[in-house]
Amino acid sequence: MSLEYVLLVLSVSHLSLVCIYVLVHHRHLYLGQLIVLYAVCLIAYLLGTTSEEYFDQHITYLILRRLGTLCVLIVWLISRELFVDKKKIHNAFWYFAALYLVLRTSGTYYAIVVPDTNWLMLSLTWGVSQVIMFCFIAHALYIAIVGYET
């Protein structure tokens, strides 16, 4: 049994316990539901990144990786829930979130399923999705800093 496997099992079991605890005690709160979703997406990310060689089919790998991709958006939603009083989320968030997911999914598809893809297409899909991801994380940090000061 390798160290990577042991750490994977420990991480997944810990995140599973977090999910169970939050589901038992805070399942009716929006923040509790976001935390459970975040933990599930982290579990999918861990399984998707550490177990590439165990998947015969690309679809399982792609599903796990797409769930892992949602972590960035969920962190932004958690930050907004904790630090913003005005709860309405603008439509721009949903547009950028959809664009981020589409670009990230197509970039993964081009990188894994069609490895001899044009480098420009691969660079655009991965590059633009990375910029959007960075903006979501930077904005989540900004929300937290401004919300903490007030």
Side-chain angles (χ1 to χ4, degrees):
M1 194 182 295
S2 69
L3 180 63
E4 178 185 355
Y5 182 73
V6 170
L7 292 176
L8 174 68
V9 169
L10 287 173
S11 299
V12 169
S13 65
H14 179 72
L15 287 168
S16 299
L17 288 175
V18 168
C19 283
I20 291 169
Y21 175 81
V22 173
L23 280 175
V24 167
H25 295 287
H26 305 288
R27 68 179 168 269
H28 299 296
L29 299 174
Y30 178 63
L31 187 59
Q33 295 167 358
L34 284 175
I35 290 171
V36 168
L37 184 61
Y38 183 68
V40 167
C41 289
L42 277 178
I43 290 171
Y45 175 77
L46 288 171
L47 293 175
T49 56
T50 57
S51 306
E52 245 179 88
E53 65 273 2
Y54 299 119
F55 297 124
D56 297 343
Q57 301 167 350
H58 294 294
I59 190 71
T60 307
Y61 174 74
L62 287 175
I63 289 172
L64 288 174
R65 293 296 294 224
R66 287 320 94 215
L67 284 173
T69 302
L70 290 175
C71 288
V72 172
L73 304 174
I74 297 168
V75 165
W76 187 86
L77 288 170
I78 289 172
S79 175
R80 185 159 173 85
E81 180 66 21
L82 288 173
F83 297 109
V84 175
D85 295 329
K86 184 179 163 188
K87 298 295 183 189
K88 183 175 181 333
I89 298 174
H90 297 285
N91 288 338
F93 166 77
W94 301 112
Y95 296 138
F96 279 112
L99 178 65
Y100 168 67
L101 292 173
V102 166
L103 289 175
R104 196 75 175 170
T105 302
S106 60
T108 303
Y109 176 78
Y110 289 136
I112 294 171
V113 179
V114 189
D116 56 343
T117 302
N118 182 357
W119 68 271
L120 180 63
M121 179 62 89
L122 187 60
S123 298
L124 284 176
T125 55
W126 278 100
V128 174
S129 70
Q130 288 292 87
V131 169
I132 294 172
M133 180 177 67
F134 176 77
C135 290
F136 273 120
I137 293 298
H139 192 251
L141 288 172
Y142 174 77
I143 290 171
I145 290 169
V146 169
Y148 186 74
E149 289 176 352
T150 58

